Amino acid sequence: MTGWEKTMTLLREETTGIHPRLIALNAVIGLLPRHHAQATRARMLSMAGFRVGAGTRLAGPPKINGGQKLFQNLVIGRDCEIEADCVLDLEERITIGDRVTLSPGVMILTSTHELDIREHRAGPVQLSPVSIGDGAWLGPRCIILPGVTVGAGAIVNPGAVVNKDVAPHTRVGGVPAVQLEVLKPAQGDAS
Amino acid sequence: MPRLVGPGDVASRLRVGTFGGFNARCFFELDDQVTIGDHVAVGQDVMFLTRMRDSSDPNRRGRSSGSAPIEVGNGAWIGARCTIMPGVKIGAGSVIGASVVVDKDVPPNILLMGTRRISLAKWR
């Protein structure tokens, strides 16, 4: 690799997380007082290019970061409730279904590392998408690790760290999260 | 700067005693009363949540269902990154370790760390 190519690669790496549209969005929704203008905040997110369903409300500006496809990587369904201080890592796709509740301080991650040699354990970056099923409730301060699918109507207890898929209509909790309870699914629901 | 959020007159729902201390970035969700006694120390990034959610509806597990007050007794000490859930009463003289989610009442003079519960009743 020539010096020029090296410089250009480095420059691309260094600037891939800069999104003028996101900076403008944060500047505007940062001015809205928290826990007010919840529907307006969601509207502004969808105006900026994220897919946000009707009736979704955001209590505070989510902390968003990610690579080039940032704006395609967030899909939020209808009538969701997203509270303040949520962290959404949009290196890969995060799909949030309908009527989902994200409590304050929830962190959804999509990028991790491969385990590498002992001199440098955090190896190459690994991306995997996360999906949250309809009607799920993520408790305050829980962490969803990359590649996890949270089933419909599932509950993640406060402070849990979820590293495996969560079956629909179950409650998980703890570090790492384990199944604590099987919940009653909807009437007439086959699952 | 602590953050206070909630509907209406937020300031009327927070009662703090004397000689207390709050570290940086505390978060108070003041849908209901939060009462903090005298000589209470609260660490960084502690969250006081008062909004209840009802999980019985399978189509929306996180449906809002009212609120419940939080009470922290005199002399308690809450470590950094704790989350205090709605309706919890923390007894006088109890110590909560860092990063604990307090979802049940804590009796007086108990040290809570991770999942361990140690009695401090004989300590002074």
Side-chain angles (χ1 to χ4, degrees), chain A residues 34-36 79-81 83-85 98-101 103-105 134-137 140-141 153-155 158-159 169 171 183-186, chain B residues 3 5-8 25 27 29 31 44-47 49 51 53-64 81-83 85 101 103:
Chain A
R34 273 154 200 269
H35 288 248
H36 297 277
D79 298 316
C80 293
E81 205 176 323
E83 300 225 38
D85 300 324
D98 301 339
R99 304 175 303 279
V100 173
T101 306
S103 300
D134 295 347
W137 171 24
R141 286 241 170 93
I155 300 177
H169 301 290
R171 181 197 286 274
L183 303 160
K184 228 167 85 183
Chain B
R3 270 216 302 280
V5 300
R25 296 187 301 278
F27 177 87
E29 191 182 66
D31 284 35
Q44 289 199 20
D45 253 327
V46 174
M47 241 176 209
L49 304 175
R51 190 175 301 163
R53 293 194 182 272
D54 173 25
S55 61
S56 59
D57 180 2
N59 290 318
R60 187 193 270 274
R61 293 289 186 192
R63 192 178 288 285
S64 293
R81 277 243 157 182
C82 280
T83 310
M85 299 299 284
V101 177
D103 52 1

Side-chain angles (χ1 to χ4, degrees), chain A residues 50-173:
Chain A
F50 294 108
R51 266 171 283 171
V52 181
T56 288
R57 303 186 304 143
L58 283 98
K63 294 172 187 161
I64 291 169
N65 62 286
Q68 282 175 331
K69 287 192 183 157
L70 179 117
F71 289 98
Q72 285 111 65
N73 278 349
L74 180 61
V75 181
I76 303 180
R78 300 163 64 91
D79 298 316
C80 293
E81 205 176 323
I82 296 174
E83 300 225 38
D85 300 324
C86 289
V87 178
L88 304 173
D89 175 21
L90 296 177
E91 297 284 355
E92 247 290 355
R93 175 68 62 91
I94 295 180
T95 315
I96 296 176
D98 301 339
R99 304 175 303 279
V100 173
T101 306
L102 264 60
S103 300
V106 168
M107 186 185 255
I108 301 180
L109 302 174
T110 56
S111 57
T112 181
H113 296 272
E114 280 168 38
L115 188 61
D116 213 333
I117 51 169
R118 83 172 58 141
E119 285 78 20
H120 190 111
R121 286 296 187 207
V125 173
Q126 223 177 13
L127 307 177
S128 26
V130 168
S131 125
I132 314 287
D134 295 347
W137 171 24
L138 309 189
R141 286 241 170 93
C142 71
I143 301 179
I144 311 292
L145 294 179
V148 166
T149 300
V150 176
I155 300 177
V156 177
N157 265 11
V161 176
V162 184
N163 61 352
K164 288 193 293 284
D165 285 3
V166 178
H169 301 290
T170 56
R171 181 197 286 274
V172 299

